[in-house]
Amino acid sequence: MASQQGVPTSPLRVLEEALGMGLTAAEETADAVAAEGAYYLEQVTITEASEDDYEYEEIADDNFSIPEGEEDLAKAIQIVQEQATDTQILEEKTVLPSKNLAPEVIEDFLCNFLIKMGMTRTLDCFQSEWYELIQKGVTELRDFGNVPDVYTQNMLLESEIKNLKKDLKHYKQAADKAREDLLKTQKERDFHRMHHKRIVQEKNKLINDLKGLKLHYASYEPTIRVLHEKHHTLLKQKMLTSLQRDKAVEQISRHSATARHMEPQQSYHSPEIRVVPGCEKENTPEGPAQKGLHEAKEQNKCKTKIKNNTKDSEFPTDMKSNPNLYLCKENNCPAKLDYKLNSIFRLHELPVSCIVVHPHKDILVSCGEDHLWKVVGLPKGNVLLTGFGHTDWLSNCCFHPSGNKLATSSGDTTVKLWDLSKGSCILTFEGHYHAVWSCTWHSSGDFVASSSLDTTSKIWDVNSERCRCTLYGHKDSVNSIEFFPCSNTLLTSSADKSLSVWDARTGKCEQSLYGHMHSINDATFTPRGHIIASCDSCGVTKLWDFRKLLPIVSIDVGPSPGNEVNFDSSGRVLAQASGNGVIHLLDLKSGQIHKLVGHENEAHTVVFSHDGESLFSGGSDGTVRMWS
């Protein structure tokens, strides 16, 4: 019968170890199978050892010798125990020679195979029939022999292959994970490398920019020093001029008092004229400042007499209909956007601030920061007339509806009216405390409106030569002002980001429009007057419905500031002069935006010709460019 072995320490193994014999290969295989809980038969051959053939190991006498003079039993026992311990340690480290593996018996191989395959019933039948044959003596074990080694090796190799396949699978998974980690690490490395290169490039660019700024800043210092010196010199001259003016005013007041005192004493029979000691200075030569004061006094006397004889103008109540209203309805031709640079007129030494086209003739007027305005003939660009009189830069100008007069505004806080037939100044309005940014004519030609840096706007009466009304309401500089076509309504734009609509007759604000996020530089009406266009300091242009006073659309062409906007005669195309030198053209019907590039620096002003075939723009380089 088969015996189950749970542990490898069987009685046969103990007996074999006692006799000094090694286990066979069949026994080792049986132990491996028994460890898995298998049943098998084992044949063990026990041989009796002869005492004559046994070789005893000789023990050296030196190991057990006791030194002389120390024949003590306790010490001798201790020495023997230490030697025994050393011998045991040496035996544990000794490598036993390899044993010859014996082939496995055939019946054991068959039993192990059936156990491995789980064929228990076949195993029981095989064992019962096999042992019956052995007991009857029909079968001898020696006749069959042993199982060839190749089968045993194949089984061992198969189990080893399975284990290796499992290990290979784990290694492949680990390799795939390592490959993914490697790719991820390489991508991160490339990203950080590119980021580092970009940062290095930006750093080098900033270093170069910083060097350039330092050089630029160093070049400013001598210029600032020279300007300071000039400023101090001008201050001294101003003080001397003010002293001379005060002296001259005192002399004039003294002379006038003397003259009034002498008038009652004069009689019809006294032809002689007595010289008063205080009048001796009249015979002395006068300086240019004193002569100018005398002339100004005489002009003021004349103006005072004229003012006393003139009355204030009245705002018209029955306004004519806007003539552009019907013209724009009849004009159905497509908008023109394909302008090209035709001519460049170099008119001013400093930037051009404003351009206006004559309402009836082929001429235009340009104003510059060189204190001059010039009348230019078209299309050749020849200068017909140059206006002198302002003491500071000119900001804006506007033609009288008849075209024979011109109004100009300046940084010297004045508004001047000019007779274009003579080229002389006929009237000066003074009343603003800071620079005047803009001016506009009323359609009747009797009023001029101006806007200023002092946050106010004023309406001037041309006939009575005085300020009729001051418009208060804006909290910052009023940058532009314009009359609604053929009406008494005014439109102003301000640096407080708002537009205001005013009644010129009462001087009250009727409506304010909000929507811009930055300072508004300019605002204008269409020729029909139903749409308002405005632009701010960040390049945003807005269109407003004037009838509903609501925004229509917002166009952002920034970040460069929009300096001025103007419509063409049809009202379909809006032009904007930008701070980057580009002229933007917007078709209101299609929404298409076209750019005109030609200015080298900032573009300050833009205006269309009356037929819409030409476009004029002025820039900071002092030139006027003609596009057609």
Side-chain angles (χ1 to χ4, degrees):
M1 296 296 292
S3 60
Q4 182 179 4
Q5 296 182 359
V7 294
T9 58
S10 62
L12 294 175
R13 182 177 292 279
V14 175
L15 180 60
E16 189 176 6
E17 288 179 356
L19 295 175
M21 299 176 62
L23 293 175
T24 61
E27 292 170 354
E28 291 180 357
T29 307
D31 291 339
V33 176
E36 298 177 359
Y39 293 88
Y40 63 95
L41 295 175
E42 181 179 0
Q43 182 179 1
V44 180
T45 303
I46 302 174
T47 58
E48 295 181 357
S50 176
E51 294 180 359
D52 298 333
D53 298 335
Y54 187 78
E55 296 180 359
Y56 292 93
E57 183 180 357
E58 294 183 358
I59 300 174
D61 294 336
D62 297 336
N63 295 335
F64 295 96
S65 61
I66 300 173
E68 295 181 0
E70 296 181 359
E71 296 179 357
D72 190 358
L73 181 60
K75 291 183 179 181
I77 293 172
Q78 184 178 0
I79 292 171
V80 171
Q81 290 178 353
E82 291 176 356
Q83 291 178 353
T85 303
D86 297 337
T87 304
Q88 185 178 359
I89 293 172
L90 292 173
E91 287 178 356
E92 290 177 356
K93 293 183 179 180
T94 303
V95 180
L96 298 176
S98 61
K99 300 177 182 179
N100 297 324
L101 298 176
E104 187 178 7
V105 183
I106 293 177
E107 60 268 23
D108 293 340
F109 176 78
L110 293 174
C111 290
N112 292 331
F113 175 76
L114 294 174
I115 291 169
K116 185 175 181 181
M117 299 301 295
M119 303 169 65
T120 57
R121 291 181 294 176
T122 305
L123 176 63
D124 294 339
C125 294
F126 172 75
Q127 288 180 346
S128 60
E129 189 175 357
W130 177 262
Y131 284 108
E132 285 179 2
L133 292 175
I134 292 176
Q135 289 178 359
K136 291 178 180 180
V138 178
T139 302
E140 293 183 0
L141 296 174
R142 295 179 181 178
D143 295 339
F144 296 97
N146 298 324
V147 179
D149 295 339
V150 64
Y151 297 107
T152 305
Q153 293 296 329
N154 287 339
M155 291 180 67
L156 295 175
L157 290 174
E158 286 178 0
S159 61
E160 187 175 358
I161 287 171
K162 288 181 180 179
N163 295 331
L164 291 175
K165 284 183 178 179
K166 290 180 181 179
D167 296 339
L168 179 63
K169 184 177 180 180
H170 292 304
Y171 292 151
K172 283 184 177 180
Q173 293 178 355
D176 294 337
K177 186 177 180 181
R179 187 182 297 107
E180 292 177 357
D181 295 339
L182 178 61
L183 292 175
K184 184 178 179 181
T185 305
Q186 289 177 349
K187 290 181 180 179
E188 292 179 354
R189 179 201 63 190
D190 296 338
F191 171 76
H192 290 298
R193 184 178 295 169
M194 294 298 294
H195 185 63
H196 176 70
K197 289 182 179 179
R198 185 169 63 252
I199 289 176
V200 170
Q201 292 176 357
E202 292 178 356
K203 177 184 175 183
N204 294 332
K205 184 179 178 181
L206 290 174
I207 290 173
N208 294 330
D209 294 342
L210 184 61
K211 291 180 180 178
L213 289 174
K214 286 182 178 179
L215 294 174
H216 195 57
Y217 176 73
S219 64
Y220 274 139
E221 291 184 355
T223 306
I224 293 173
R225 195 179 301 109
V226 172
L227 290 176
H228 277 299
E229 293 176 356
K230 290 183 178 179
H231 177 67
H232 290 304
T233 304
L234 291 174
L235 286 178
K236 291 179 181 179
Q237 293 178 359
K238 181 181 177 182
M239 292 177 65
L240 293 174
T241 306
S242 62
L243 291 174
Q244 291 179 1
R245 183 195 62 188
D246 295 339
K247 291 179 180 179
V249 170
E250 290 178 1
Q251 290 178 2
I252 291 172
S253 61
R254 188 164 53 251
H255 293 328
S256 60
T258 304
R260 285 196 301 269
H261 180 70
M262 291 175 62
E263 283 177 0
Q265 297 178 0
Q266 291 179 354
S267 62
Y268 181 76
H269 298 284
S270 57
E272 296 181 359
I273 298 175
R274 296 181 181 180
V275 180
V276 181
C279 297
E280 293 179 356
K281 295 182 180 178
E282 293 181 357
N283 299 325
T284 60
E286 296 180 349
Q290 295 176 356
K291 290 182 180 180
L293 289 172
H294 285 299
E295 293 176 358
K297 184 179 178 181
E298 292 177 359
Q299 291 179 1
N300 289 332
K301 289 181 180 179
C302 296
K303 289 181 180 179
T304 304
K305 293 179 181 179
I306 295 173
K307 288 181 181 179
N308 294 330
N309 297 327
T310 56
K311 296 181 180 179
D312 291 337
S313 303
E314 294 183 1
F315 285 97
T317 55
D318 298 331
M319 298 296 296
K320 298 180 180 180
S321 60
N322 186 1
N324 296 321
L325 183 63
Y326 306 102
L327 293 175
C328 294
K329 286 184 178 180
E330 295 175 357
N331 190 2
N332 295 322
C333 60
K336 181 178 180 180
L337 297 175
D338 54 344
Y339 291 95
K340 294 183 179 180
L341 183 61
N342 188 4
S343 302
I344 299 177
F345 309 141
R346 300 191 178 275
L347 303 177
H348 298 274
E349 296 180 357
L350 294 177
V352 178
S353 57
C354 178
I355 300 174
V356 291
V357 179
H358 195 277
H360 309 298
K361 300 179 182 179
D362 290 336
I363 60 175
L364 62 82
V365 173
S366 67
C367 298
E369 295 185 8
D370 54 1
H371 310 178
L372 305 176
W373 57 267
K374 295 184 180 182
V375 180
V376 181
L378 297 177
K380 295 182 179 180
N382 52 322
V383 178
L384 304 177
L385 181 65
T386 301
F388 303 88
H390 283 288
T391 60
D392 209 336
W393 44 268
L394 273 69
S395 58
N396 198 4
C397 61
C398 182
F399 274 109
H400 188 274
S402 63
N404 57 3
K405 294 178 183 179
L406 182 72
T408 58
S409 59
S410 171
D412 59 8
T413 71
T414 64
V415 176
K416 290 182 179 293
L417 304 184
W418 307 81
D419 186 353
L420 294 180
S421 61
K422 299 178 181 179
S424 60
C425 177
I426 57 177
L427 188 58
T428 299
F429 294 120
E430 298 178 353
H432 285 290
Y433 297 103
H434 292 287
V436 184
W437 288 119
S438 179
C439 61
T440 180
W441 280 94
H442 189 272
S443 57
S444 65
D446 295 331
F447 302 95
V448 175
S450 61
S451 62
S452 173
L453 181 62
D454 59 8
T455 71
T456 66
S457 300
K458 292 181 180 292
I459 301 174
W460 309 90
D461 192 331
V462 178
N463 295 323
S464 62
E465 302 180 5
R466 71 182 187 91
C467 177
R468 288 287 298 272
C469 184
T470 301
L471 310 181
Y472 298 96
H474 285 293
K475 298 179 180 179
D476 207 336
S477 171
V478 186
N479 295 329
S480 73
I481 189 167
E482 183 174 340
F483 272 106
F484 184 82
C486 301
S487 75
N488 298 319
T489 303
L490 274 169
L491 173 67
T492 58
S493 65
S494 173
D496 61 7
K497 310 171 189 177
S498 69
L499 300 171
S500 294
V501 180
W502 308 79
D503 188 345
R505 295 168 296 183
T506 61
K508 293 182 180 180
C509 178
E510 300 294 337
Q511 186 71 33
S512 293
L513 305 178
Y514 300 94
H516 280 280
M517 303 300 294
H518 303 278
S519 171
I520 305 176
N521 291 336
D522 189 34
T524 185
F525 290 101
T526 59
R528 293 177 58 187
H530 65 295
I531 294 177
I532 298 173
S534 59
C535 62
D536 63 20
S537 59
C538 276
V540 177
T541 300
K542 285 184 177 290
L543 299 179
W544 310 78
D545 189 341
F546 183 63
R547 293 166 295 188
K548 300 179 181 179
L549 295 176
L550 293 174
I552 300 174
V553 69
S554 179
I555 305 103
D556 188 358
V557 292
S560 297
N563 294 323
E564 186 174 308
V565 286
N566 263 313
F567 288 96
D568 67 344
S569 58
S570 66
R572 280 190 53 185
V573 180
L574 175 67
Q576 182 210 53
S578 180
N580 58 2
V582 178
I583 307 298
H584 296 92
L585 301 179
L586 172 64
D587 187 353
L588 301 186
K589 190 172 182 180
S590 64
Q592 181 182 0
I593 297 177
H594 187 69
K595 295 182 179 180
L596 302 181
V597 180
H599 281 280
E600 299 176 356
N601 296 310
E602 186 174 1
H604 287 168
T605 180
V606 62
V607 66
F608 287 94
S609 62
H610 294 293
D611 57 2
E613 295 297 324
S614 301
L615 178 73
F616 303 96
S617 61
S620 60
D621 55 357
T623 63
V624 174
R625 296 172 189 262
M626 179 179 177
W627 311 77
S628 59

